[in-house]
Amino acid sequence: RPLLPAGEVEFAGIRMFVDPRDNYTDLRIWLDGQPPEMKSLAALSEMVEGRRAFVLDVGANCGAYTVPLALAAGAGSRVVAVEPNPIMIGRLGHNVRLNGLGDVIRIEGCALGDQTGEAVLNLKRGNYGQASLMPIRPRQRVGSTLVPVRPLAEFAMDAAGYDLCVMKLDVEGAEEAVLNPVLDTGDWLPDVLLMETRHADDWNTDLVGRLRSAGFSTAMQADGNTLFVLNDKA
């Protein structure tokens, strides 16, 4: 991998600059010519296609979801890409520019958590996309950086007035800190939630059960993710 060249990949009319040397998602796009979670991406793209949608991509990485969803969504849509890793923020911004989406996508350089503040983001060797607020094994950790943290509820006002609100959540095991506060209050929840659930055994609460109690049904499971849809939106 250290010898692989960074460069631009095009798929389905989408341009992505990727660096296979330091990020798994970039590596898969470089090797396969498309993002690694195509079933999940296709499901969300179909939901937002042609609709005035609000999309919140939490853990945006290089933009593998952010950019295709912004292109698929209808006129007047807004995509907010949340990414705390400074290295990936730069790559994400470059991919937004490559596709001419500066008027659709807003980048938030922060992590999401249970309260406003700051936290240590741990960086993982060879995979900047798996940086996490959760602990990383010492041999895999290659440093850290202090990042701002915001609660999910702060984005509720942004989501008002759209036909559909979609959220993708991939925060490397810290999903509880993002969702439990809004599940506790019930003030705001997206209509559609694609969440990485491969770390479910490490959670301290039954987050999937809490989502079902809040009115979500499981629409699909693929790519280590689960797609939840509010029952009145199914």
Side-chain angles (χ1 to χ4, degrees):
R1 284 181 61 182
L3 300 178
L4 298 179
E8 195 175 306
V9 175
E10 185 170 340
F11 59 93
I14 299 167
R15 298 168 64 191
M16 297 286 289
F17 177 84
V18 295
D19 190 336
R21 298 170 296 181
D22 61 16
N23 186 34
Y24 175 77
T25 298
D26 286 48
L27 175 64
R28 295 318 315 176
I29 295 174
W30 193 90
L31 289 173
D32 304 331
Q34 63 183 27
E37 299 181 0
M38 283 305 297
K39 288 183 179 179
S40 299
L41 176 58
L44 288 189
S45 297
E46 184 177 344
M47 287 184 168
V48 304
E49 186 173 5
R51 303 181 71 175
R52 186 174 181 272
F54 175 78
V55 179
L56 186 60
D57 185 358
V58 184
N61 203 298
C62 64
Y65 278 86
T66 301
V67 172
L69 292 178
L71 290 170
S77 294
R78 168 70 67 224
V79 178
V80 177
V82 179
E83 175 55 51
N85 187 335
I87 295 170
M88 298 312 300
I89 290 171
R91 200 168 303 169
L92 170 63
H94 185 65
N95 287 328
V96 170
R97 184 189 64 80
L98 275 179
N99 292 276
L101 294 169
D103 59 342
V104 178
I105 298 170
R106 185 176 88 233
I107 298 173
E108 294 284 351
C110 66
L112 293 195
D114 55 6
Q115 58 187 343
T116 301
E118 57 186 23
V120 173
L121 181 73
N122 296 296
L123 305 178
K124 189 172 183 180
R125 185 184 307 278
N127 193 359
Y128 284 128
Q130 281 194 333
S132 177
L133 300 183
M134 305 297 287
I136 291 178
R137 294 176 182 176
R139 290 185 179 181
Q140 295 180 331
R141 186 174 178 271
V142 288
S144 62
T145 185
L146 200 61
V147 299
V149 179
R150 296 175 62 190
L152 176 58
E154 289 190 9
F155 294 90
M157 291 296 293
D158 291 339
Y162 288 89
D163 299 335
L164 184 72
C165 295
V166 174
M167 178 177 172
K168 187 220 85 182
L169 180 61
D170 181 353
V171 289
E172 302 303 323
E175 291 79 13
E176 290 175 294
V178 177
L179 287 179
N180 275 333
V182 293
L183 287 169
D184 289 340
T185 62
D187 291 338
W188 178 82
L189 289 167
D191 302 314
V192 176
L193 170 65
L194 179 74
M195 179 172 64
E196 184 179 44
T197 48
R198 68 175 80 243
H199 304 292
D201 290 342
D202 298 325
W203 295 337
N204 294 314
T205 56
D206 180 10
L207 196 52
V208 172
R210 295 203 68 190
L211 287 167
R212 288 175 178 155
S213 296
F216 284 91
S217 296
T218 300
M220 184 189 75
Q221 289 184 309
D223 310 315
N225 303 317
T226 302
L227 181 64
F228 299 94
V229 180
L230 276 175
N231 290 331
D232 61 352
K233 298 289 181 176

